[in-house]
């Protein structure tokens, strides 16, 4: 363990430097320096920053999501495709505390265990990101 600690520290430092060099949009361009052209902190975020419409399980994303659930989680076979997609879409759109609230709602509505809910949540986030 002690032999790997310097390597871990180097990796974490490189990751931190790489992350700090990225812009807010997630691009790989270097972060802009502070200048007069930078938006003020009080300006509202642009509507293009979080397109809710783009985070839906439709078309190939829907098929991939359902195939992953049906292939890997046989305990969820009793739930219809439409219900799985409905809850998957809710997970794709939820962030932060809303994600936890949606997980509780899904567990209650579908009558499944929290472990089964995590399988739906993880698959949805894996497909819609």
């Amino acid at each position: 363990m002690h032999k790997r600690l310097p390597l871990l520290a180097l990796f974490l430092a490189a990751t931190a430097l790489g992350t700090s060099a990225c812009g807010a949009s997630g691009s790989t361009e270097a972060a802009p320096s502070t200048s007069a052209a930078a938006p003020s902190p009080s300006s509202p975020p642009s509507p293009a920053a979080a397109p809710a419409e783009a985070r839906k399980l439709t078309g190939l994303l829907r098929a991939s999501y359902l195939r992953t659930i049906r292939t890997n989680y046989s305990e969820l076979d009793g739930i219809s495709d439409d219900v799985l997609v409905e809850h998957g879409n809710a997970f794709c759109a939820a962030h932060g505390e809303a994600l936890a609230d949606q997980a509780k709602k899904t567990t209650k509505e579908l009558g499944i265990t929290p472990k089964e809910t995590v399988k739906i949540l993880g698959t949805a986030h894996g497909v819609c990101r």
Side-chain angles (χ1 to χ4, degrees):
M1 175 69 183
H2 295 289
K3 293 179 182 179
R4 289 187 240 154
L5 194 55
L7 183 60
L8 177 63
L10 179 65
F11 173 74
L12 291 175
T15 303
L17 289 174
T19 302
S20 66
C22 292
S25 66
S27 66
T28 57
E29 298 175 358
S33 62
T34 306
S35 66
S40 66
S42 62
S43 66
S46 65
E53 293 287 329
R55 294 192 175 129
K56 296 272 186 181
L57 298 171
T58 58
L60 290 176
L61 291 179
R62 182 182 195 275
S64 176
Y65 168 73
L66 289 172
R67 184 176 1 98
T68 301
I69 294 241
R70 297 301 182 206
T71 302
N72 298 306
Y73 309 119
S74 60
E75 64 272 16
L76 299 174
D77 284 344
I79 303 171
S80 74
D81 289 353
D82 291 335
V83 171
L84 283 172
V85 170
E86 176 186 334
H87 286 275
N89 281 332
F91 282 128
C92 286
H95 297 285
E97 194 173 317
L99 191 60
D101 293 340
Q102 181 60 42
K104 291 174 190 172
K105 180 180 175 184
T106 296
T107 301
K108 185 177 179 181
E109 284 183 8
L110 299 181
I112 58 178
T113 67
K115 286 184 179 182
E116 293 168 335
T117 301
V118 168
K119 292 174 183 177
I120 295 172
L121 182 152
T123 304
H125 267 271
V127 170
C128 66
R129 294 287 172 233

